[in-house]
Amino acid sequence: VAVIDDGLAGYIGSLNGRNGVTLSIGGGVVSVGGNNGKFAHRDGLGSTFGDEGGGFWLGKNAITKALGIRQGRGEDREMLDFFADECAAFDALKVKNAAEASTLAIRTAKKVLEAADAGVSTATAIADEGAFLLAQTVVATWFGCGGTKADSPEIVIQGGVARNATYTAKITMEIHNKLPNAVVVKSAGDNLDGATWIANNLRQDAPPLLLWSGL
């Protein structure tokens, strides 16, 4: 029996065990890489102290900026107009920092990227920062498993937020600034594919991401 980190299963499934990094961007962020049997895990720190560039981060920053503009702490009226519904949803929250607020932020992520695509300057700045932070996460993952700048790792960028082509292109550009030979590829499989590959090919522990039991 193997106990497997879901990020490791996702990385293995997406690259079939090849050297590289898988960046998964949903409400949160996790990045796992492998390089000749050495693995690294970056972010996955949760929304309070991590998950930079992910769905919650995007939505929270956008709503925060829109609310600030509404209070006169900013001048991007187009941003406020674009997120008028989200500001109203915030107003309707009985508790402003509970689970419903987090759900609102995550639900807003797609709209932030749409606003950036539409040329809303504040949203564009948020998306640019998010892409930079996500690229830093990928690069740190590759270096963490022993990779170097001269290598040509395969990179998979996946998850709901990654469906925005402009955001993915920005992340890719930022990655290439630090890893010029990196190759962004499509995912070859999912977590279940990764679990099957691990069962057949990785028979040794790789703590803390993989531990085999003798049961």
Side-chain angles (χ1 to χ4, degrees):
V1 177
V3 179
I4 308 166
D5 180 274
D6 62 345
L8 178 66
Y11 152 69
I12 294 291
S14 63
L15 287 172
N16 284 334
R18 300 190 303 275
N19 291 342
V21 175
T22 296
L23 174 68
S24 298
I25 322 167
V29 175
V30 65
S31 177
V32 175
N35 184 26
N36 297 323
K38 183 178 181 180
F39 303 101
H41 180 287
R42 295 293 183 269
D43 212 332
L45 299 174
S47 60
T48 302
F49 299 111
D51 292 343
E52 293 182 313
F56 174 84
W57 185 95
L58 288 166
K60 174 188 177 296
N61 275 279
I63 295 172
T64 297
K65 291 293 186 182
L67 291 171
I69 293 165
R70 190 173 71 172
Q71 290 188 335
R73 296 182 287 119
E75 299 179 352
D76 188 354
R77 184 72 200 188
E78 189 177 15
M79 181 72 176
L80 179 57
D81 291 343
F82 207 100
F83 291 93
D85 290 343
E86 286 67 33
C87 289
F90 169 84
D91 293 337
L93 292 173
K94 292 182 179 180
V95 181
K96 307 301 187 186
N97 58 356
E100 292 82 1
S102 297
T103 299
L104 173 61
I106 293 170
R107 198 169 62 233
T108 303
K110 180 181 177 182
K111 191 170 181 178
V112 180
L113 299 176
E114 290 172 351
D117 285 342
V120 179
S121 60
T122 299
T124 299
I126 292 170
D128 287 348
E129 183 183 1
F132 174 80
L133 293 168
L134 288 167
Q136 293 292 96
T137 298
V138 169
V139 172
T141 307
W142 181 241
F143 289 162
C145 57
T148 71
K149 181 178 180 179
D151 296 331
S152 302
E154 293 184 74
I155 311 293
V156 171
I157 303 172
Q158 63 182 13
V161 177
R163 295 192 185 103
N164 182 280
T166 305
Y167 200 43
T168 300
K170 288 181 177 182
I171 299 166
T172 301
M173 181 187 71
E174 295 288 357
I175 291 171
H176 284 150
N177 286 338
K178 295 291 184 68
L179 295 173
N181 301 318
V183 181
V184 175
V185 299
K186 292 184 178 181
S187 176
D190 59 19
N191 291 36
L192 293 178
D193 296 317
T196 301
W197 194 98
I198 288 168
N200 292 325
N201 295 279
L202 292 180
R203 306 300 302 178
Q204 302 299 318
D205 291 345
L209 300 177
L210 169 65
L211 294 172
W212 282 95
S213 169
L215 296 177

